C-alpha cells in the first residue's frame, strides 16, 4: 500500500497532491461554515466546462516547442468577432453558435498563420513575443470595436448609434445552447451541463487524435528535438506554424464555449488577461513548457477552477463578510504567479 501511495505521489507530483488535498479540505469544511457542497461542486464543474477548451488550446504550441501561448487573446479576439457577427446576422440557437464558430475559425486560421510566421522569426523568445502580441492585439481591437460597421441595436451604443458596447448579452441568440443539451439537475442546487462537457470531451478527442497523426507526431518531434526533426526531413517552421494556427483556432472556439455559458460577450479589455489563468491551469496540471497532455489539461482546469470557486465561498462564510472578489483576485494571482515561477524554473 505504501509503495502504491509513493508511486501515485511521484506520478502526480507533490504540487498537485498538496493543491488537491487543499481543495478536498475546502469541500469538507464547506458544510460546517454554511456553504452547500452540491452548489459549490456544480459551480466548479460549470467553470471547468467553460474554461476547458481555452486551456486545451495551449497544448499544440507546447508540443511544438513554441512554449506557452501567452498570445491566446489573438484567438479569443477571433472568437469575439465570430460571436458579434452571428448576432449581427440575427442567427439564433445552435445554428447561431455554429455560425459564430465558423466565422471565428476562418479568422483564427488567418491570424494564427501570421502569428506563426512572426514566432518563427523570434525563436527562443516566443513566450515574451507572444505576450506582446496578445496585449497589442487587445489594444488594437479597443479601437476596432468602435469603428467596425455593426448595426444591431442589441450591440451598439445607444448614444450616437455606433460602436459596440463593452458587454453584449447572448440571451435570445445562443445562451446555454451547449450547456443545456442533455443537462440534468440533482435536487434544486446541483446542475450538470452535460452538453458542454460532451463538447469539451470531443475537443480533447480531436486534439488527442491529431497528435497521433503523422503531422501531430512530426510536430511533437519538432518540440522534443528540432535538430533531429530537421535531419529527419521534417519542415520545422511549417510544423511550428501548424501548431500556432491550431492553438489560435482552439482559443477562438474556447471563448465561444465560455460565452454561451456565461451569457455575455465581453469586448475591449475583456480578453486582456485571459491567457494567464489558462497557462496557470495547464501548469498546475503537470505540463511543462515543452510537454503537455490531455490529462494535464483536465486535472489542471479542475484544480484551478475548484480552488478559485471554493476559497472565496468558504473564507467569506468564516469571516462573515463579503470579500469574495478580493479573495478571488488574491487566489487567482497567487496561483498564476506560482505557475509562472514554475515555468521559469523549468525553462532554466
Amino acid at each position: 500500500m505504501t509503495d502504491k501511495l509513493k508511486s501515485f505521489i511521484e506520478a502526480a507530483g507533490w504540487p498537485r497532491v498538496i493543491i488537491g488535498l487543499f481543495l478536498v479540505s475546502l469541500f469538507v469544511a464547506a458544510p460546517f461554515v454554511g456553504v452547500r457542497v452540491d452548489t459549490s461542486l456544480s459551480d466548479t464543474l460549470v467553470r471547468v466546462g467553460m474554461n476547458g477548451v481555452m486551456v486545451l488550446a495551449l497544448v499544440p504550441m507546447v508540443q511544438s516547442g513554441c512554449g506557452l501561448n501567452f498570445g491566446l487573446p489573438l484567438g479569443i479576439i477571433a472568437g469575439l468577432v465570430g460571436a458579434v457577427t452571428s448576432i449581427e446576422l440575427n442567427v439564433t440557437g445552435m445554428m447561431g453558435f455554429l455560425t459564430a464558430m465558423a466565422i471565428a475559425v476562418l479568422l483564427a486560421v488567418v491570424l494564427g498563420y501570421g502569428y506563426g510566421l512572426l514566432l518563427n522569426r523570434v525563436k527562443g523568445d516566443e513566450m515574451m513575443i507572444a505576450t506582446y502580441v496578445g496585449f497589442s492585439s487587445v489594444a488594437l481591437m479597443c479601437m476596432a470595436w468602435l469603428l467596425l460597421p455593426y448595426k444591431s441595436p442589441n450591440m451598439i451604443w445607444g448614444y450616437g448609434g455606433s460602436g459596440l458596447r463593452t458587454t453584449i448579452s447572448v440571451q435570445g441568440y445562443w445562451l446555454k445552447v451547449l450547456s443545456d443539451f442533455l443537462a440534468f439537475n440533482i435536487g434544486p442546487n446541483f446542475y450538470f451541463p452535460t452538453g458542454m462537457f460532451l463538447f469539451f470531451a470531443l475537443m480533447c478527442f480531436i486534439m488527442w487524435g491529431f497528435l497521433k497523426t503523422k503531422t501531430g507526431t512530426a510536430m511533437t518531434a519538432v518540440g522534443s528535438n528540432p535538430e533531429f526533426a530537421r535531419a529527419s526531413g521534417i519542415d520545422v517552421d511549417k510544423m511550428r506554424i501548424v501548431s500556432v494556427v491550431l492553438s489560435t483556432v482552439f482559443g477562438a472556439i474556447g471563448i465561444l464555449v465560455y460565452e454561451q455559458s456565461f451569457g455575455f460577450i465581453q469586448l475591449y479589455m475583456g480578453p486582456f488577461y485571459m491567457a494567464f489563468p489558462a497557462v496557470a491551469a495547464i501548469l498546475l496540471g503537470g505540463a511543462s513548457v515543452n510537454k503537455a497532455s490531455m490529462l494535464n489539461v483536465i486535472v489542471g482546469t479542475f484544480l484551478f477552477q475548484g480552488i478559485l470557486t471554493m476559497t472565496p465561498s468558504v473564507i467569506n462564510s468564516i469571516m462573515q463578510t463579503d470579500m469574495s472578489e478580493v479573495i478571488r483576485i488574491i487566489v487567482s494571482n497567487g496561483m498564476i504567479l506560482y505557475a509562472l515561477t514554475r515555468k521559469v524554473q523549468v525553462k532554466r
Side-chain angles (χ1 to χ4, degrees), residues 5 30 51 67 70 80 102 114 121 127 134 148 164 203 207 236 250 261 291 295 305 315 317:
L5 182 60
N51 292 275
F70 287 97
L80 294 177
R121 293 179 174 272
M127 286 186 282
L148 290 171
L164 293 172
M203 292 293 102
M207 182 67 74
V236 172
F250 270 69
S261 178
K291 186 177 181 181
L295 184 62
Q305 297 300 332
I315 293 180
S317 298

Side-chain angles (χ1 to χ4, degrees), residues 56-268:
L56 182 65
L58 302 177
V59 172
M61 285 180 59
V62 169
Q63 288 294 100
S64 71
C66 290
L68 299 160
N69 185 12
F70 287 97
L72 188 63
L74 196 64
I76 291 173
I77 286 169
L80 294 177
V81 172
V84 295
T85 304
S86 74
I87 293 177
E88 178 75 12
L89 297 173
N90 200 31
V91 189
T92 61
M94 181 60 75
M95 188 55 66
F97 182 79
L98 294 176
T99 300
M101 189 184 299
I103 296 168
V105 167
L106 289 174
L107 182 58
V109 168
V110 175
L111 294 177
Y113 183 76
Y115 180 26
L117 290 176
L118 173 63
L119 292 187
N120 277 342
R121 293 179 174 272
V122 292
K123 291 176 182 174
D125 295 313
E126 290 95 343
M127 286 186 282
M128 180 178 68
I129 300 302
T131 305
Y132 294 149
V133 168
F135 287 172
S136 60
S137 61
V138 172
L140 177 64
M141 289 307 294
C142 282
M143 295 181 283
W145 296 129
L146 292 171
L147 300 174
L148 290 171
Y150 291 103
K151 300 297 182 183
S152 172
N154 294 320
M155 297 194 298
I156 60 174
W157 292 105
Y159 180 79
S162 64
L164 293 172
R165 299 174 192 167
T166 305
T167 304
I168 299 168
S169 173
V170 298
Q171 187 171 10
Y173 293 95
W174 31 270
L175 176 64
K176 296 188 183 299
V177 69
L178 288 180
S179 300
D180 285 347
F181 179 71
L182 298 178
F184 61 89
N185 293 77
I186 300 177
N189 299 302
F190 183 87
Y191 165 79
F192 186 79
T194 309
M196 191 159 57
F197 272 87
L198 288 175
F199 187 82
F200 179 36
L202 175 63
M203 292 293 102
C204 287
F205 178 75
I206 291 172
M207 182 67 74
W208 175 83
F210 172 78
L211 293 176
K212 297 296 181 182
T213 64
K214 183 178 179 180
T215 302
T217 304
M219 193 175 76
T220 302
V222 168
S224 300
N225 192 328
E227 296 304 323
F228 174 78
R230 188 175 287 107
S232 301
I234 298 173
D235 189 335
V236 172
D237 287 352
K238 180 181 177 182
M239 289 300 103
R240 284 165 58 93
I241 290 175
V242 168
S243 74
V244 176
V245 169
L246 193 59
S247 182
T248 307
V249 167
F250 270 69
I253 295 172
I255 192 62
L256 292 174
V257 176
Y258 182 96
E259 289 164 350
Q260 63 82 34
S261 178
F262 183 58
F264 296 94
I265 301 168
Q266 294 176 299
L267 304 179
Y268 299 95

Side-chain angles (χ1 to χ4, degrees), residues 4-24:
K4 289 183 178 180
L5 182 60
K6 287 182 179 178
S7 299
F8 172 78
I9 292 174
E10 288 176 2
W14 274 110
R16 275 154 299 289
V17 172
I18 294 170
I19 293 171
L21 290 174
F22 177 61
L23 181 57
V24 170

Side-chain angles (χ1 to χ4, degrees), residues 39-53:
T39 303
S40 299
L41 181 59
S42 178
D43 290 344
T44 299
L45 292 174
V46 168
R47 292 174 69 101
V48 169
M50 288 170 63
N51 292 275
V53 179

